[in-house]
Amino acid sequence: MKNFYWIKKCPIAGHIYIILILLTAVMVVKLLYGENPAMEVFRYWAPLSGRIIVIDAGHGGVDGGTYHSDGTLEKNINLQVALELKRLLEKSGANVIMTRTKDVALDRLNNKSEYRHRRDLIARADIINRAHPDLFLSIHVNAERSSINTRGPMVFYFRGSDESSRLAGFLQRRLEEAYGSSGQKVKARKPISNSSLFLLCNTNVPGAIVELGFITNPQDRALLTTKEFQQKLSQHILYALKDYF
């Protein structure tokens, strides 16, 4: 109490006292977090602020992706989740670049192959590499025609990239949580390393291909086509990115 009485009686000394406290706090933070303490503390509380993230909504236009006989198309689910994720990321301070924001294919963006599908993939990789992002996510929906019981999310990452592996681990866990919080029990999986998927092999930054669920499974399909679950998946992907950063 005596210290506070002294500050009240001597305003100048009080200001000096406060400055000393602030300087001490900065020094403590510097010891804990390194050479740029203010930025490190800011990153801790706002891990996505200023990050550059590319979101690739898989397929589009003439390429519907996988499908179900009831008319459900993968390309539409991919885009709906990607747009919701964009909204959440930007709200958290990230800079988001989309490979597409409409129902279009990207093969028209280059003439680097005679095959439309390969030109589309090249265009997506080019967008990612030109942006020099902190990471990218390619959003997809899975299918397993031989087993309608197969369900749940799967995450693929480039074999040999430790950062992509770490990112994929957070994504897999958070996506499974999204199913669990919706009352759906899904098999726990480990992310899958891959060295053949075009987008993983031809990009220069950490990233992952996210398979949200299986369109061939009735329970997954019912969830994936609802706005509520699409928002939940987007929210849990956001959690995963905060975990990663």
Side-chain angles (χ1 to χ4, degrees), residues 97-150:
I97 297 169
M98 302 284 287
T99 58
R100 69 180 180 99
T101 58
K102 298 178 181 178
D103 182 18
V104 294
L106 305 184
D107 58 289
R108 71 192 188 285
L109 298 181
N110 68 79
N111 58 2
K112 296 178 181 178
S113 172
E114 61 180 306
Y115 301 106
R116 185 207 64 77
H117 179 64
R118 189 169 183 84
R119 290 198 308 274
D120 181 87
L121 291 172
I122 291 170
R124 295 170 196 271
D126 284 348
I127 291 170
I128 293 166
N129 290 329
R130 283 197 300 265
H132 302 290
D134 291 286
L135 60 80
F136 76 89
L137 298 178
S138 187
I139 307 297
H140 289 263
V141 173
N142 222 332
E144 180 52 78
R145 304 292 172 190
S146 63
S147 174
I148 64 170
N149 293 322
T150 303

Side-chain angles (χ1 to χ4, degrees), residues 47-183:
L48 296 177
S49 183
R51 301 292 187 184
I52 301 173
I53 297 171
V54 176
I55 304 174
D56 171 45
H59 307 285
V62 297
D63 179 5
T66 193
Y67 62 90
H68 188 263
S69 58
D70 65 2
T72 303
L73 295 176
E74 177 192 355
K75 67 174 183 176
N76 296 330
I77 298 171
N78 296 345
L79 183 58
Q80 288 156 1
V81 172
L83 289 172
E84 175 63 13
L85 179 57
K86 175 180 183 290
R87 185 186 71 82
L88 293 176
L89 285 170
E90 289 179 339
K91 190 176 179 181
S92 296
N95 299 314
V96 179
I97 297 169
M98 302 284 287
T99 58
R100 69 180 180 99
T101 58
K102 298 178 181 178
D103 182 18
V104 294
L106 305 184
D107 58 289
R108 71 192 188 285
L109 298 181
N110 68 79
N111 58 2
K112 296 178 181 178
S113 172
E114 61 180 306
Y115 301 106
R116 185 207 64 77
H117 179 64
R118 189 169 183 84
R119 290 198 308 274
D120 181 87
L121 291 172
I122 291 170
R124 295 170 196 271
D126 284 348
I127 291 170
I128 293 166
N129 290 329
R130 283 197 300 265
H132 302 290
D134 291 286
L135 60 80
F136 76 89
L137 298 178
S138 187
I139 307 297
H140 289 263
V141 173
N142 222 332
E144 180 52 78
R145 304 292 172 190
S146 63
S147 174
I148 64 170
N149 293 322
T150 303
R151 64 176 310 199
M154 297 177 71
V155 181
F156 294 83
Y157 67 93
F158 183 63
R159 183 177 299 152
S161 170
D162 291 340
E163 284 301 304
S164 295
S165 174
R166 193 167 70 87
L167 170 64
F170 289 125
L171 287 164
Q172 185 70 46
R173 179 170 61 85
R174 289 295 192 174
L175 287 167
E176 289 170 3
E177 284 180 4
Y179 275 83
S181 66
S182 297

